[in-house]
Amino acid sequence: MWLDTNLRKALDEHQLLLYYQPKISSGTGRVESVEALVRWYSPERGLIAPAHFIPYAEESGLIGPLGKWVMETAANQAVAWQQKGLNLRIAVNLSARQLSNNTLIPTFKEAMASSGMTRCLLDVELTESCLIEDESTAVSLIGQLQALGADVYLDDFGTGYSSLSQLARIPIDYIKLDQSFVRGISDNEVSQALVRAIIAVARTLNLKVVAEGVETENEERFVDEVGVDDKQGYFYAKPMPAEDLEHWLLNND
Ligand code: G
Ligand code: G
Ligand code: NA
Ligand code: MN
């Protein structure tokens, strides 16, 4: 199978790269953190999006080495930016499988240490699928990541089985409101009511909220009005290579 032979090779032959998408802090209007999103540049097939290979990496177990590479690369990038005077935290995405074995914390620590970080600049984004299988393990891992200095985001919030009551049990720092809530929000009173309710619960629980998938001025106006902490989406910037992000920041931040 093409993926089987070639994803292994991609890891060995450095065909993976990270793109970075900024999150705009509503308070300051500035970019304080970015999300790392993996890409695969295949010499045969060109740029391949993660939706085409992450599921396979999860099934095959390659998500282990791939995730390690992502953490190391993001950690090194955060330090490189810091040395250039750019203060950016980087959030990496984790799959459920990465929480279900006991290598996550050692790998995270090693990425921090080998980058020479003096304080933690790495955060993690989890989806609720990370929480359903074994909630108590997930809670323990989240606590250990936070103790190392990472912020923990619950990604794609509101799309699946997660409940508002779960937010009270899981010690996360941020929820990322799924882009399906934000899409066309100004014409949809039901979505507006849901978003207001989620934000009210988040405030009560002391959680910060990121709006994902902001694409239009109307969507921005709404998320500003309801008071999200951070905003992300094509309206501001698409995911891009590190160097492009540096130029974007010079022109936009
Ligand atoms: O980058 P895109 O813009 O296409 O992302 C698609 C999906 O792939 C997202 O759900 C994202 O969480 C996931 N993804 C992107 N990068 C990584 C990664 O480094 N590790 C894992 N586990 N998932 C990732
Ligand atoms: O699942 P996760 O939230 O990690 O993945 C984010 C995905 O959404 C990535 O594939 C990213 O490229 C994409 N994305 C980011 N901003 C926007 C946006 O404004 N609109 C759309 N349609 N997709 C976005
Ligand atoms: Na994410
Ligand atoms: Mn998301």
Side-chain angles (χ1 to χ4, degrees), residues 11 14 16-18 38 64-74:
L11 274 163
H14 312 289
L16 298 181
L17 58 158
L18 290 183
V38 70
L66 190 152
K68 179 173 156 60
W69 177 86
V70 168
M71 285 181 236
E72 287 171 358
T73 305

Side-chain angles (χ1 to χ4, degrees), residues 10-146:
L11 274 163
D12 294 339
E13 296 181 2
H14 312 289
Q15 294 171 8
L16 298 181
L17 58 158
L18 290 183
Y19 274 28
Y20 299 93
Q21 186 179 30
K23 298 171 192 168
I24 290 46
S25 164
S26 297
T28 61
R30 306 211 57 193
V31 177
E32 285 151 21
S33 96
V34 300
E35 176 179 5
L37 295 149
V38 70
R39 299 288 183 265
W40 174 6
Y41 191 81
S42 154
E44 279 168 59
R45 302 201 174 178
L47 202 62
I48 306 177
H52 297 292
F53 62 89
I54 291 289
Y56 172 74
E58 287 166 1
E59 273 168 46
S60 63
L62 282 173
I63 196 70
L66 190 152
K68 179 173 156 60
W69 177 86
V70 168
M71 285 181 236
E72 287 171 358
T73 305
N76 291 340
Q77 184 63 65
V79 170
W81 276 334
Q82 191 176 47
Q83 286 166 350
K84 290 185 174 181
L86 277 174
N87 274 311
L88 293 174
R89 303 186 63 79
I90 301 181
V92 299
N93 286 283
L94 298 181
S95 300
R97 179 106 185 230
Q98 292 173 271
L99 274 83
S100 70
N101 66 29
N102 47 23
T103 58
L104 177 65
I105 301 301
T107 306
F108 192 91
K109 277 188 183 163
E110 217 173 280
M112 281 177 61
S114 66
S115 70
M117 249 173 216
T118 48
R119 71 187 164 85
C120 184
L121 298 169
L122 273 193
D123 300 322
V124 302
E125 298 198 3
L126 314 171
T127 56
E128 60 184 24
S129 61
C130 298
L131 308 176
I132 47 184
E133 252 176 51
D134 181 355
E135 190 175 291
S136 66
T137 301
V139 167
S140 156
L141 289 171
I142 290 169
Q144 292 176 66
L145 290 165
Q146 289 166 326

Side-chain angles (χ1 to χ4, degrees), residues 99 124-146 151-155 157 161-176 201-202 204-208:
L99 274 83
V124 302
E125 298 198 3
L126 314 171
T127 56
E128 60 184 24
S129 61
C130 298
L131 308 176
I132 47 184
E133 252 176 51
D134 181 355
E135 190 175 291
S136 66
T137 301
V139 167
S140 156
L141 289 171
I142 290 169
Q144 292 176 66
L145 290 165
Q146 289 166 326
D151 285 337
V152 178
Y153 292 76
L154 185 56
D155 208 353
F157 183 77
Y161 297 102
S162 44
S163 62
L164 289 171
S165 65
Q166 190 177 38
L167 291 180
R169 299 194 306 269
I170 312 282
I172 51 168
D173 300 288
Y174 284 85
I175 60 177
K176 291 187 86 177
V201 172
T204 305
L205 296 171
N206 254 326
L207 303 175
K208 292 183 197 157

